[in-house]
Amino acid sequence: MRSGPQVLVFPAFDENPYLNLLALAARADGFRFLGSGTYRELSERAAGLRAGDVLHVHWTTPLLQQEPSASVASRRLRGLVALLGRLRGRGVRIVWTVHNRLPHELRHPALEVRLYRALAAAADAIHVMSPATPEVVADVVTLDRQKVRVIPHPSYEGVYETGVTREAARASFGLEDDERAALFLGQIRPYKGVSELVDATALAARGDGPRLRLMLAGAVKEQSRDEFVASIPDGLPVISQLDYVADGDLARWFRAADVAVFPYRSILNSGSVHLAATFRVPVVLPDEPHLRDQFGEQAWVSFFDRRRPVESIAELLASRTAQPAPSAYDAFLAGISPWDVSRSYAALLSELSGDDRRSRPISGADAAA
């Protein structure tokens, strides 16, 4: 492997599959990735960056929103702006990925808006996964169209074990053939609207539609587990694992499900949609305009009405629509394989760093060879 420019990623999580997939081709091209999880680590490791190296900022919550007071967060913001200026002065290139319109839990909203605007000004490239991102965030920050690069979220094809059959998966949960299993998998946090899904399932279960079983998998955040469990109506059939689901067990949950429901109150991007598609499970999403633009043509995607989420999700769960064929997902997944997406990211890094080892799309001649 050839040694190339450094890429300092903030925040870096070893267990985050998205970050690992994104870096695949760039690592193969010789880029050296450094991680930082705190502001102190970011400052210390940024001191070693030189011309041609890259700082890539992802989620911004750890920078300001975890500070207890506005005065401390304000000082931190000034320090960050100064750091970005020093890096640019040394010829370090800056990439910012816009994952959310704003962080979901905001302690210092005005300061976060100022941080977004500072990142937008300092960035050499602004990475978005949804083409509609500039419009969605327009009330928070103006994104320079010349800087915006669309690199979609990858699928998880080839990443997770997929050998378990639907029959074996359902049997492991005790699901009957005539039961319709609705799955929510991910951290259970207020903005994700899981309480609305619980109420919707209870409402649909009282009708004359299919027998329903709610499947909940993920750690409970921002409230106690006991409080969340107490909010589930008595008698509602639920299968739950209110804790982290190991990568090796993801296939069992998705293979057992008839539909994956993501009842978010607010969302810009969701890797969970791509995970469900990888396992060929239909999904239910909020009817955000940018989500309709992005997924509206997919036969495996349905949308609930955000103005009446409980009733709308209940109607979808109670419907007896046929399951899409596995081939219905192929066209969507074909263009977002992990390797293809990582090659696009590697090409961006090569362009910014001036490195000549750019990953490029496979040409016809390459394929023949």
Side-chain angles (χ1 to χ4, degrees):
M1 182 179 293
R2 299 161 293 182
S3 179
Q6 299 181 101
V7 182
L8 176 58
V9 177
F10 179 88
F13 310 107
D14 291 340
E15 72 280 7
N16 186 290
Y18 171 76
L19 294 178
N20 292 330
L21 293 178
L22 196 64
L24 284 172
R27 290 183 188 277
D29 280 352
F31 284 89
R32 293 171 291 152
F33 281 78
L34 310 173
S36 55
T38 66
Y39 174 70
R40 175 174 291 183
E41 287 181 347
L42 173 61
S43 299
E44 292 173 350
R45 294 179 183 178
L49 299 180
R50 297 292 179 263
D53 290 338
V54 177
L55 168 65
H56 190 157
V57 178
H58 285 272
W59 300 273
T60 59
T61 298
L63 292 173
L64 303 181
Q65 298 308 315
Q66 294 173 352
E67 293 301 325
S69 72
S71 60
V72 173
S74 183
R75 287 197 299 272
R76 172 72 57 81
L77 176 59
R78 291 195 295 271
L80 284 165
V81 172
L83 173 63
L84 295 173
R86 289 195 300 272
L87 292 175
R88 287 181 59 85
R90 295 204 302 267
V92 175
R93 312 306 294 274
I94 298 171
V95 179
W96 175 35
T97 295
V98 185
H99 285 276
N100 301 300
R101 178 182 167 274
L102 280 171
H104 299 294
E105 285 80 32
L106 278 174
R107 180 175 287 170
H108 312 294
L111 294 176
E112 189 70 21
V113 170
R114 287 168 57 187
L115 173 59
Y116 266 43
R117 293 174 180 175
L119 285 169
D124 297 282
I126 300 173
H127 167 216
V128 303
M129 288 171 273
S130 167
T133 297
E135 289 76 26
V136 175
V137 304
D139 62 329
V140 175
V141 59
T142 300
L143 303 184
D144 183 345
R145 297 283 182 164
Q146 298 301 312
K147 296 181 179 181
V148 171
R149 307 298 178 86
V150 180
I151 301 177
H153 195 295
S155 74
Y156 293 95
E157 294 277 83
V159 176
Y160 296 111
E161 168 61 40
T162 58
V164 62
T165 65
R166 173 174 169 81
E167 292 74 17
R170 289 179 68 86
S172 73
F173 290 110
L175 286 164
E176 303 290 341
D177 290 344
D178 64 341
E179 285 185 295
R180 189 178 194 200
L183 170 67
F184 175 88
L185 190 147
Q187 289 187 347
I188 297 173
R189 303 169 67 184
Y191 83 88
K192 293 190 176 184
V194 180
S195 60
E196 283 87 340
L197 172 59
V198 169
D199 292 342
T201 308
L203 177 60
R206 294 197 294 268
D208 57 0
R211 291 174 61 205
L212 292 174
R213 187 87 72 97
L214 179 60
M215 304 178 70
L216 300 174
V220 180
K221 302 290 185 180
E222 282 89 49
Q223 70 176 128
S224 73
R225 184 185 303 187
D226 289 344
E227 287 177 327
F228 176 72
V229 171
S231 71
I232 299 175
D234 293 337
L236 179 65
V238 177
I239 298 168
S240 65
Q241 179 179 321
L242 302 182
D243 203 348
Y244 173 76
V245 178
D247 288 350
D249 202 30
L250 286 174
R252 189 171 67 98
W253 285 86
F254 276 100
R255 291 292 194 216
D258 294 287
V259 61
V261 185
F262 302 111
Y264 302 118
R265 297 169 185 170
S266 174
I267 182 177
L268 176 56
N269 304 291
S270 175
S272 297
V273 175
H274 296 72
L275 186 59
T278 300
F279 287 106
R280 274 64 175 180
V281 177
V283 304
V284 173
L285 294 174
D287 61 350
E288 297 267 11
H290 66 279
L291 294 180
R292 282 194 175 276
D293 289 344
Q294 189 173 3
F295 299 106
E297 296 182 359
Q298 305 299 330
W300 47 273
V301 178
S302 301
F303 299 93
F304 69 86
D305 186 345
R306 288 172 298 143
R307 297 169 299 179
R308 43 189 294 274
V310 172
E311 295 80 5
S312 181
I313 293 173
E315 291 163 4
L316 291 170
L317 293 180
S319 66
R320 297 182 181 273
T321 56
Q323 291 286 96
S327 59
Y329 304 81
D330 292 348
F332 173 77
L333 295 169
I336 57 170
S337 74
W339 184 247
D340 287 341
V341 171
S342 73
R343 284 167 67 89
S344 296
Y345 176 61
L348 171 61
L349 294 180
S350 294
E351 174 191 335
L352 293 175
S353 67
D355 190 78
D356 61 0
R357 289 165 286 190
R358 179 181 304 185
S359 281
R360 55 191 174 84
I362 299 176
S363 67
D366 291 333

